[in-house]
Structures are given as C-alpha cells and as structure tokens.
Amino acid sequence: MSINKLEKYIFVGCMATMSITAMVFEPYVVFDENGTALTQDALDSNPSDIVRHLWAWYAKSFDPIFLETPLFLRIMCGVDMAIFGPLQAAIGFALWTERLQSSARWRLVTLMYASAIVYSTVIYFAVEVIQESHRADMLWVVVINVPYTIVPLLLAGKVWQMEVAEDLIALQRKSQ
C-alpha cells in the first residue's frame, strides 16, 4: 500500500506548515525567560514583528497559558522547535521525493516521530483540559492544535500499512 498523489500533497503541506510553526513561532515561548515576549510593552516596542503579534493574539484570544508560559511548556516547545520542526521538514522532504515510500529507515523515523509528537500533544491537551479549561477557549485550542495529533497519526497509519504490505509481499515471495 502506498501514499497516493493527493495524500502526498496533503501530508507534505501539513509537514511544511507544522515545521514552519515549530521553528518560527516556538522560539518566542522557548527563549522568553522572564515572560515578557507577549506583553503589551513587547508588542508596542516591536510593531512590525508579525509573529509576536500573532502569538499574542492566539494567547489572549484562546490560550492564556502562553501569556505566562510555565517551564514545562517552554521545554515542550523547545523540543518542538529543535527536534519536531526539523523532523517535520525532513519527513515532508522524504514524502515529496518519495524516499519515505521506498526506505524502511525513513518509515521507521516517521513512526518514531509520530509516537513522540502524539505523546507530547496528549500531555499538552491534558494540561489544557485539567488546568486551563476555566480560562482557555477549549474549542479553539482543540481546533487549532488537534492537527498536530491527527496528521502524525494518519501518516503513521499509512506508513504502518506500507510496512505490513511490504512484509506480506516478502512472505509471499518466500513461500513461492
């Protein structure tokens, strides 16, 4: 079983979008040691910083945990920025060039990535539901963030099918 052309374009687009958000947006949270990156003073002093303004809008409108980001979430965003972002770019490239479809190593990397990011997003959603639901707009938090769980799961499902199909073909060849 392989990834068809439409699935390929969708997965590549999603991987590119997730990679860009991880490597462009997350540094504002990761390197904000004193919690001032999204304050009004920071926004006023950086009027042309579109990314900072988008982060502040998201945090103020839907997800206030990012207005005073706790250490564990800064660490999670750091992992997202330094590990998941580059991996998403690499997996997107592997999909685009069809290396993912032809390389067991790329499929293994994709399965490991999917496992790790799903674990990370489950922790994030648990904190949002348990600790932040009284002040976060949970509908929008889920709508905006659930693709970071669903897309890797769908991709892992496709990769898993490729692995199983490859194994079945190999078994069939051995039995002949």
Side-chain angles (χ1 to χ4, degrees), residues 13 18 84:
M18 292 190 298
F84 295 150

Side-chain angles (χ1 to χ4, degrees), residues 10-173:
I10 291 170
F11 282 130
V12 168
C14 289
M15 289 289 113
T17 301
M18 292 190 298
S19 177
I20 290 166
T21 59
M23 293 190 288
V24 173
F25 283 78
E26 303 297 9
Y28 284 87
V29 173
V30 173
F31 299 117
D32 184 22
E33 292 178 13
N34 54 8
T36 60
L38 304 179
T39 63
Q40 194 58 50
D41 287 341
L43 295 172
D44 291 342
S45 66
N46 298 292
S48 62
D49 190 342
I50 294 168
V51 174
R52 184 184 306 269
H53 283 268
L54 284 172
W55 247 126
W57 170 79
Y58 170 77
K60 289 176 185 175
S61 300
F62 311 119
D63 204 355
I65 194 170
F66 285 103
L67 293 173
E68 295 177 17
T69 312
L71 180 60
F72 87 90
L73 191 51
R74 287 181 49 217
I75 292 168
M76 283 178 64
C77 289
V79 169
D80 193 34
M81 176 190 73
I83 297 172
F84 295 150
L87 263 176
Q88 290 155 338
I91 291 167
F93 179 77
L95 274 161
W96 185 258
T97 60
E98 300 192 1
R99 287 186 177 114
L100 182 70
Q101 294 87 320
S102 63
S103 169
R105 285 187 179 136
W106 273 110
R107 291 193 297 269
L108 179 61
V109 166
T110 301
L111 290 172
M112 291 187 316
Y113 151 78
S115 301
I117 198 161
V118 167
Y119 170 81
S120 180
T121 57
V122 165
I123 298 297
Y124 169 72
F125 281 124
V127 169
E128 289 287 356
V129 168
I130 295 166
Q131 182 178 317
E132 295 294 316
S133 61
H134 67 283
R135 64 186 192 140
D137 186 335
M138 291 307 296
L139 173 65
W140 285 106
V141 167
V142 170
V143 166
I144 292 167
N145 292 289
V146 80
Y148 292 86
T149 305
I150 292 175
V151 170
L153 283 174
L154 292 173
L155 184 57
K158 279 297 203 181
V159 167
W160 186 260
Q161 288 174 344
M162 282 186 243
E163 288 291 320
V164 170
E166 193 174 277
D167 289 346
L168 289 174
I169 291 167
L171 284 172
Q172 189 177 27
R173 284 184 186 146

